[in-house]
Amino acid sequence: MTVSNSIEKDKRHPPDMIPPEGTPDKDHPPKPKRTRLWRGMVVSLAVIALGLGFLYYLHALSFESTDDAFIEGHVIAVSPRVAGHVARVYVNDNQRVKEGDPLVDLNPADFRATLHAAEAALSAGEAVYRSRKTDVDLITITSTADLHGAESDVKAARAALEAAEALAQQTASQYDQATAQISINTATLAQAEAEVDSARARHERDAEDLKRYEEMRSARTVSGRDLDHAIAAERISAADLVSAQKRVETCRAVLRQSEAAKKAAKDNRHRTQAQVALKKAKLAQAKARLAAAQAAPKRILKKRALADVSKAEADKAQAQVEQARLNLSYTHITSPADGFVTRKSVEPGAFVQVGQPLMAVVPKTVWVTANFKETQLTHMQAGQPVDITVDAYPDITFKGHVESIQRGTGARFSLLPPENATGNYVKVVQRIPVKITFDKSPDAVGVLLAPGMSVVPLVHIAATGKHPSQSP
């Protein structure tokens, strides 16, 4: 073999691809072993990649995660409700406190003096109110009694006058009746005297008839019946005569009585007329007293108005006392909750204003606010378990669950929400805050989670209820 032939052979078959001896050299020789090895490796890697991709696909169907998530918690700003100089500060930054622990004391001297002044003003106002109320009660009792007495006197005087007038009218009527009765009795007496004359005449006639009938009886010219009738008629007429005579005597007695009654009625008339004049004078006096007593309600109203003013002033003083007592209590500032003191910016001797931030208290209760894309919320719901990884503690996985999903995107509640009705519109996937709470307090594992720390939540969207590890 020549040198040129050797070189050409090397060009056709590089050293790494020279077939072994004994292999026939054709236009398409068999592929080397290394090529087959590389092809097998590529196929294996493709299969592994497909398997990993399938596993990732299954994972994506069961979990949702985001790195736009942070620890959230209540940050309670502590500020004074009254202005004053700081007398004492009890806490330092990052110190743990309990609800009700003292934080800051303001100088209470001015507020204590204000409270004493308000209490003194309240005592004075209550004393004035009691005095005026006593005046109202006293004048009410006396004036009311006077008014009722005057009204009663007027009614009694009017009733007495009416009774006197009625009695005067009665006595006048009795006098008139007595006068008329005398006339009647005089006429009755005259009639009775005339009846006596008539009765006497009838008796004389019946006596003559009886005498004739008795004379005729001896001659037997009259019947016994007629004689009996004559005897009866004579007796009747005799009785009528006696009756008429007695009636005359009675009429004379009645006439004398009516004359005496007329004289008595005349005297009664004069006396009742004098009583009417006296009752009229008493009624006028009672009306005068009533007019004076009727001004009492106005005096009562005036006194009551003064008492009401005093009551209002006393109530105002009471409110000032309560406000002064509250202001004094505000000089002692305590922790509103269990937590940690942060951002302390107050020192003894400083003068603080109302509402000035002194410090903040961060309670130990925290949660996670995760801003998921709206496309990630399709199967997310409250109660699904969550694995929480905190950047500060990468080796610890906290367990939690979805508590709630905000009804609105974060952009919608921003200071300047987007106005899609103006300008050009570009659709942007929005993020919606999701609140995630811990199943167990982070303090239980000896770690401290503070608001603002970054976390990565992994939500098990294929499950509901508590985390599987929390099941009994």
Side-chain angles (χ1 to χ4, degrees):
M1 182 180 295
T2 63
V3 175
S4 60
N5 292 335
S6 177
I7 294 172
E8 291 178 359
K9 184 177 180 179
D10 292 339
K11 291 180 179 180
R12 291 195 305 270
H13 302 284
D16 58 346
M17 298 184 62
I18 296 176
E21 294 183 1
T23 301
D25 185 10
K26 297 180 180 180
D27 293 338
H28 300 285
K31 294 182 179 179
K33 291 183 178 180
R34 183 171 295 181
T35 301
R36 291 196 300 272
L37 180 62
W38 278 103
R39 179 176 294 177
M41 292 176 63
V42 170
V43 172
S44 298
L45 291 175
V47 172
I48 293 173
L50 289 175
L52 293 175
F54 181 72
L55 292 177
Y56 178 78
Y57 174 73
L58 294 179
H59 179 275
L61 291 178
S62 302
F63 298 90
E64 290 291 352
S65 179
T66 180
D67 56 358
D68 187 1
F70 307 92
I71 297 293
E72 288 287 354
H74 297 291
V75 179
I76 305 175
V78 178
S79 57
R81 302 181 68 173
V82 292
H85 288 88
V86 177
R88 186 175 180 182
V89 179
Y90 294 92
V91 294
N92 294 315
D93 278 321
N94 304 321
Q95 178 179 335
R96 188 164 190 168
V97 294
K98 295 183 179 180
E99 182 179 358
D101 286 350
L103 300 180
V104 178
D105 277 345
L106 302 182
N107 190 342
D110 294 340
F111 300 97
R112 190 175 291 113
T114 302
L115 175 59
H116 292 165
E119 290 175 344
L122 175 60
S123 299
E126 289 178 344
V128 173
Y129 170 66
R130 287 193 298 269
S131 175
R132 291 184 175 177
K133 189 174 183 298
T134 303
D135 292 342
V136 170
D137 296 337
L138 181 60
I139 194 173
T140 299
I141 294 173
T142 57
S143 300
T144 303
D146 293 342
L147 178 61
H148 290 168
E151 291 176 347
S152 299
D153 291 344
V154 169
K155 291 180 180 178
R158 184 176 286 112
L161 175 60
E162 292 175 354
E165 290 176 345
L167 184 59
Q169 292 177 358
Q170 182 180 359
T171 55
S173 176
Q174 289 175 354
Y175 176 76
D176 295 338
Q177 291 177 0
T179 302
Q181 190 66 35
I182 288 175
S183 300
I184 294 173
N185 291 337
T186 302
T188 303
L189 177 60
Q191 182 180 359
E193 290 176 347
E195 289 178 355
V196 168
D197 295 338
S198 175
R200 183 179 291 108
R202 286 195 302 273
H203 178 261
E204 292 176 353
R205 184 195 62 190
D206 291 339
E208 292 294 331
D209 290 340
L210 178 59
K211 183 177 180 182
R212 286 195 301 272
Y213 277 114
E214 288 178 347
E215 291 175 353
M216 292 174 66
R217 183 181 61 177
S218 58
R220 299 184 180 271
T221 56
V222 65
S223 65
R225 181 178 180 182
D226 292 337
L227 179 61
D228 292 338
H229 286 172
I231 293 171
E234 190 273 337
R235 291 178 180 176
I236 292 172
S237 61
D240 290 340
L241 176 59
V242 174
S243 176
Q245 290 174 347
K246 290 183 178 180
R247 185 177 180 188
V248 168
E249 294 176 357
T250 302
C251 289
R252 287 174 179 171
V254 170
L255 179 59
R256 290 193 296 270
Q257 290 178 356
S258 61
E259 289 176 348
K262 178 180 179 182
K263 184 175 183 300
K266 183 176 181 181
D267 296 338
N268 290 335
R269 186 181 65 176
H270 291 311
R271 185 174 65 255
T272 54
Q273 288 177 350
Q275 289 292 328
V276 168
L278 179 61
K279 298 301 181 182
K280 286 182 178 180
K282 290 185 177 181
L283 177 60
Q285 292 177 356
K287 287 182 177 180
R289 288 195 300 270
L290 177 61
Q294 284 176 343
K298 295 182 179 180
R299 293 196 298 271
I300 294 174
L301 291 177
K302 183 178 180 180
K303 292 290 186 180
R304 184 172 289 116
L306 293 176
D308 292 340
V309 171
S310 300
K311 180 64 168 58
E313 292 176 351
D315 292 341
K316 180 180 178 181
Q318 179 65 41
Q320 291 175 347
V321 168
E322 293 177 359
Q323 184 61 55
R325 188 174 290 114
L326 283 175
N327 291 340
L328 180 60
S329 67
Y330 294 154
T331 60
H332 182 65
I333 303 174
T334 59
S335 176
D338 296 348
F340 295 89
V341 175
T342 59
R343 297 194 301 175
K344 184 177 77 72
S345 60
V346 61
E347 297 297 337
F351 184 84
V352 294
Q353 299 288 347
V354 177
Q356 176 181 339
L358 303 182
M359 64 188 70
V361 175
V362 180
K364 61 181 181 180
T365 301
V366 293
W367 62 91
V368 174
T369 298
N371 299 307
F372 285 96
K373 296 180 181 179
E374 55 186 330
T375 55
Q376 295 178 286
L377 301 180
T378 304
H379 303 291
M380 192 175 299
Q381 58 183 346
Q384 292 174 339
V386 183
D387 292 333
I388 305 169
T389 302
V390 183
D391 290 358
Y393 306 100
D395 297 332
I396 302 176
T397 300
F398 298 93
K399 305 300 180 181
H401 63 275
V402 176
E403 180 174 309
S404 60
I405 301 175
Q406 180 173 296
R407 300 300 179 182
T409 64
R412 184 64 182 84
F413 295 101
S414 63
L415 180 61
L416 297 174
E419 183 57 60
N420 296 331
T422 59
N424 296 324
Y425 171 69
V426 177
K427 182 178 180 181
V428 178
V429 178
Q430 300 295 314
R431 290 186 178 269
I432 297 179
V434 177
K435 184 178 181 180
I436 301 172
T437 56
F438 293 92
D439 292 338
K440 183 183 295 185
S441 175
D443 289 349
V445 294
V447 297
L448 175 63
L449 299 184
M453 297 177 69
S454 299
V455 301
V456 177
L458 184 65
V459 182
H460 298 249
I461 61 174
T464 58
K466 290 187 176 181
H467 198 280
S469 64
Q470 301 297 323
S471 59

